[in-house]
Amino acid sequence: MRIRVLYGKTVAVLAVLLTLLLTVAAAQEARTDSGGQWIYILEDGIAVITGYGEEPKGDLVIPGELDGFPVTRIGKSAFDERAFYAGIGDGVFEDCEELTSVVIPEGVTTIGERAFYGCTGLTAVTLPQSLTGIGERAFYECAGLTAVTLPESLTGIGDWAFHGCAGLTGMVIPQGVTSINYNAFSSCTGLTGVTLPESLTEIEAWAFSGCVSLTEVAIPNSVTSIESFAFEYCQSLTRVALPEGLTYLGGYAFASCPNLTDIIIPESVSAVITEEGIFTGEPPPG
């Protein structure tokens, strides 16, 4: 079963104000919406979904409003113990600009492609320990996102997964992840530090391109390949230690890194550094 989000029609301002006045006394009490589908509570005039009363058939459609109140958050454990909820489907919350926080329950193993694409108001995401994969462009340009703790169960991060998440300041990649995929963290302009695991073997093209606040990165000995433009435009980068096991360094891997003054290149790599401090070499295979 997939989960989709549909936005309802805008409710007239007067109608919303009247509803708020009539229900303010019961704001924190769990209630069921007029259609009998959703259980929710009110927090500052916002409907927070905490579960559902009637077992859904087919796709589970999460509405943009309930009884005239906007839905911008799904509460913790809202879908716990629901057997169907094993994955978040492709594009389910795409462009939900008013969505501010998400708690994904245990049991979810995958976040689909573009699942939270363009959710510019998203500031907090809690990921379950059951999660193994984050799909392509899953959190693309979630500019408000400030912190994400990736679970130890994670083994894959898709292309462009966190591209443009300007609010991220740090990232710890868990053991088990073997590749930082194409553009996975590109244009994360607030990212100052990243911790890479010993399980990592490759950093793909443009993986950290445009991370202008990144000052230092420790690349583990397990990494054998760094593809072209991987750290392009990391303008604050001052020091990089390349591992002895590195065998492939793509062209312009550290292009336009004007402050990179301390770098050690192992003998296993054949590379040329120009006067501008740009690596040159063959383009990445394929």
Side-chain angles (χ1 to χ4, degrees):
M1 177 178 292
R2 298 177 293 108
I3 300 177
R4 298 184 291 112
V5 173
L6 298 179
Y7 280 96
K9 296 181 179 179
T10 302
V11 178
V13 174
L14 290 177
V16 173
L17 290 175
L18 179 60
T19 305
L20 286 172
L21 290 172
L22 292 174
T23 58
V24 66
Q28 289 296 326
E29 296 178 4
R31 61 187 70 194
T32 303
D33 78 301
S34 58
Q37 176 69 72
W38 298 101
I39 299 173
Y40 69 99
I41 61 173
L42 287 180
E43 291 184 357
D44 298 324
I46 302 298
V48 180
I49 293 175
T50 59
Y52 55 76
E54 182 180 343
E55 190 75 11
K57 296 178 177 62
D59 289 348
L60 181 61
V61 179
I62 299 175
E65 62 179 42
L66 290 173
D67 298 335
F69 300 101
V71 175
T72 61
R73 186 156 63 90
I74 298 173
K76 183 177 182 180
S77 302
F79 300 104
D80 276 2
E81 300 178 358
R82 307 296 183 177
F84 73 88
Y85 199 70
I88 296 178
D90 296 347
V92 293
F93 295 103
E94 184 172 344
D95 293 328
C96 292
E97 296 178 356
E98 296 182 1
L99 187 67
T100 58
S101 65
V102 174
V103 177
I104 300 175
E106 290 297 331
V108 172
T109 58
T110 58
I111 296 175
E113 296 181 6
R114 304 170 69 96
F116 296 94
Y117 182 104
C119 293
T120 55
L122 190 63
T123 60
V125 174
T126 301
L127 303 177
Q129 291 301 314
S130 54
L131 190 68
T132 59
I134 297 175
E136 181 177 327
R137 289 178 168 85
F139 294 96
Y140 187 97
E141 292 191 355
C142 292
L145 196 58
T146 57
V148 176
T149 300
L150 301 179
E152 291 298 321
S153 55
L154 193 68
T155 58
I157 301 173
D159 297 348
W160 304 87
F162 291 94
H163 168 82
C165 291
L168 287 178
T169 58
M171 180 61 66
V172 177
I173 311 298
Q175 294 290 337
V177 173
T178 60
S179 175
I180 305 296
N181 278 20
Y182 177 83
N183 273 292
F185 295 96
S186 58
S187 298
C188 289
T189 55
L191 192 66
T192 60
V194 60
T195 301
L196 303 177
E198 291 295 335
S199 58
L200 195 68
T201 60
E202 65 177 342
I203 299 174
E204 293 190 2
W206 286 281
F208 294 98
S209 175
C211 292
V212 296
S213 300
L214 191 63
T215 58
E216 186 175 346
V217 59
I219 300 175
N221 292 329
S222 54
V223 172
T224 60
S225 174
I226 299 176
E227 293 188 0
S228 297
F229 304 100
F231 293 91
E232 178 194 31
Y233 292 114
C234 290
Q235 297 173 355
S236 300
L237 198 61
T238 59
R239 183 179 185 277
V240 175
L242 299 178
E244 290 297 329
L246 189 68
T247 58
Y248 179 79
L249 182 62
Y252 301 96
F254 294 91
S256 301
C257 296
N259 294 305
L260 185 57
T261 58
D262 186 2
I263 188 164
I264 301 172
I265 305 173
E267 294 182 358
S268 55
V269 174
S270 175
V272 177
I273 304 177
T274 69
E275 292 180 356
E276 293 79 18
I278 300 173
F279 285 112
T280 61
E282 296 298 322

